Amino acid sequence: MQKISKRARVLTGGAALVALGAGAFGAVSANAATPAAAPAAVVAKADAKNKNTTTSTHLTIDAATKAAQAALDAAEKENQRVSVAVVDRNGNTIVTLRGDGAGPQSYESAEKKAYTAVSWNAPTTELVERLEQAPNLKDIPGTLFLGGGAPVTSKNAPIAGIGVAGAPSGDLDQKYAQAGADTLTK
């Protein structure tokens, strides 16, 4: 048997590694060039006849901004420093405006009032009266039972809430929140 020199072994091993690497690179390149088949998806047909879906109405960002600005403008006309929040049907904040000089607590209070108004589809001034019969309502997370929240409805269903906080009374906050809601019905 003939002995192979060290140099020949190194060259042969190097050539084998190059060939192996080229083969692996080619396989990876071929796989990258060929897109994988997308998994089959089941798509529910969304139409009026489908009992598995529902359609809901949402306030647009433009409408929410218009309502918030109207509420802030109403407060500023009376020299009140407030924050305004508009939330969607699910209580997610769409827009907030913090007026010049509004207190730091007003921002969060406005959001909670808006959330409370849309959750019960009622002005928060009415909900304050309900606390007399059901004082535990105030313990529901995220709610604030003070005047200043107005619901926005479409076809008698709540689609948004407007909350105002920072004026010296809940009645004033309620007045400004309602001014914002009223701009959406015109």
Side-chain angles (χ1 to χ4, degrees):
M1 183 166 192
Q2 194 177 25
K3 236 180 172 182
I4 302 174
S5 71
K6 187 175 186 179
R7 181 178 175 184
R9 283 185 287 175
V10 170
L11 288 175
T12 305
L17 284 174
V18 169
L20 182 62
F25 177 76
V28 169
S29 295
N31 284 338
T34 311
V42 178
V43 179
K45 187 176 178 186
D47 60 29
K49 296 177 184 176
N50 188 344
K51 304 289 186 215
N52 297 319
T53 62
T54 185
T55 303
S56 60
T57 304
H58 297 274
L59 200 60
T60 65
I61 186 80
D62 290 337
T65 303
K66 175 183 171 183
Q69 189 62 56
L72 186 61
D73 290 346
E76 287 177 348
K77 282 182 187 175
E78 297 182 9
N79 295 319
Q80 298 300 319
R81 297 179 177 128
V82 300
S83 290
V84 180
V86 180
V87 302
D88 67 11
R89 174 62 185 111
N90 300 319
N92 299 310
T93 303
I94 301 172
V95 66
T96 55
L97 298 175
R98 185 171 177 261
D100 294 336
Q105 79 291 351
S106 64
Y107 184 88
E108 184 178 350
S109 296
E111 285 184 325
K112 287 183 176 185
K113 289 178 183 184
Y115 175 78
T116 305
V118 74
S119 295
W120 276 273
N121 193 24
T124 54
T125 50
E126 288 179 18
L127 296 172
V128 170
E129 295 171 10
R130 291 186 197 176
L131 285 177
E132 293 174 15
Q133 287 80 34
N136 293 16
L137 283 178
K138 70 180 180 339
D139 297 333
I140 297 173
T143 60
L144 185 59
F145 290 87
L146 297 173
V152 177
T153 61
S154 175
K155 299 177 185 172
N156 295 321
I159 61 167
I162 301 173
V164 176
S169 75
D171 290 338
L172 286 174
D173 285 340
Q174 190 69 43
K175 176 181 169 182
Y176 308 140
Q178 192 59 52
D182 289 345
T183 64
L184 300 175
T185 59
K186 294 178 182 177

